[in-house]
Amino acid sequence: MHAWTQMGKGFSLLLCLTLVAQLSFAQNQRRKIDPEEMALRNTSGIQEAANLDDEQTKAVYAIELKYAEHLKEKSEAIMADDSNQDRMSKMLAMKTVRDQVQTDKTAEMKELLPKKQFKKYKKWLNAQEEARAERMGPGGRPGGGRGRPGGGMGRPGGMGGMGGGMGGF
């Protein structure tokens, strides 16, 4: 009977490790950034929200693709950095990159779109940021913090949502 208990514990441990590995793999796959897909998704949303014509849609797609590729490049560099940066430092670096990309992209959109359409773009962008904040929860990650009241990092509100307005990032 004792051997069965030992084997059962070993099997449970193996099952848990397999499940953790699968979840980790799935999470990493979900985080892969496809710039073209992101640019298409964002362009479609902007086109609908701001009522873009064909020429504007092509220009918006070009802007979206440029910044999606830039974001992917920077994100991969941050995540590949083998220095002693902890995960939180990398997340903060990613947020800084996302914020800068959004600032630069918004400036280009302002040059491209007439005031009325730019206002609609900003409204769409704010809705995207709110949706991202809802998905991320109070701790700056999906579902909120690490089980601590008020979010992660041991303080109320965690990192403040880590929104970046990247339309689904």
Side-chain angles (χ1 to χ4, degrees):
M1 184 88 162
H2 182 62
W4 286 104
T5 305
Q6 292 270 341
M7 198 164 79
K9 286 181 182 179
F11 179 73
S12 295
L13 179 61
L14 180 63
L15 183 63
C16 285
L17 290 174
T18 302
L19 184 60
V20 167
Q22 286 178 339
L23 288 173
S24 177
F25 177 77
Q27 188 173 19
N28 285 337
Q29 292 295 60
R30 185 179 61 83
R31 289 186 179 167
K32 296 281 186 207
I33 300 168
D34 179 13
E36 290 177 2
E37 182 181 317
M38 179 187 293
L40 281 171
R41 186 179 61 232
N42 287 350
T43 301
S44 176
I46 296 165
Q47 179 184 30
E48 186 177 322
N51 219 14
L52 304 179
D53 62 30
D54 289 344
E55 189 176 314
Q56 288 172 318
T57 301
K58 288 177 186 174
V60 165
Y61 176 76
I63 292 168
E64 287 290 334
L65 183 59
K66 176 175 96 173
Y67 286 106
E69 288 172 343
H70 179 73
L71 180 64
K72 179 181 181 183
E73 180 184 308
K74 292 289 188 179
S75 298
E76 288 174 350
I78 290 168
M79 296 315 284
D81 182 4
D82 288 336
S83 68
N84 288 333
Q85 275 189 315
D86 63 3
R87 183 180 167 132
M88 189 55 58
S89 296
K90 287 183 178 184
M91 288 181 70
L92 289 172
M94 295 273 289
K95 181 183 182 327
T96 301
V97 167
R98 278 194 309 268
D99 289 348
Q100 187 60 55
V101 162
Q102 189 57 55
T103 298
D104 295 346
K105 184 168 55 168
T106 299
E108 282 196 45
M109 293 294 189
K110 188 172 186 175
E111 288 179 28
L112 172 70
L113 301 173
K115 283 184 182 182
K116 196 172 186 178
Q117 284 180 311
F118 182 72
K119 278 182 145 180
K120 290 178 180 180
Y121 163 75
K122 287 291 285 182
K123 186 175 180 179
W124 173 84
L125 185 60
N126 289 336
Q128 295 299 305
E129 290 173 351
E130 287 175 16
R132 177 182 167 77
E134 274 185 36
R135 282 192 314 273
M136 296 306 281
R141 56 169 40 105
R146 293 186 175 177
R148 297 179 185 136
M153 300 301 297
R155 61 183 183 270
M159 292 179 53
M162 293 281 291
M166 287 308 301
F169 258 144

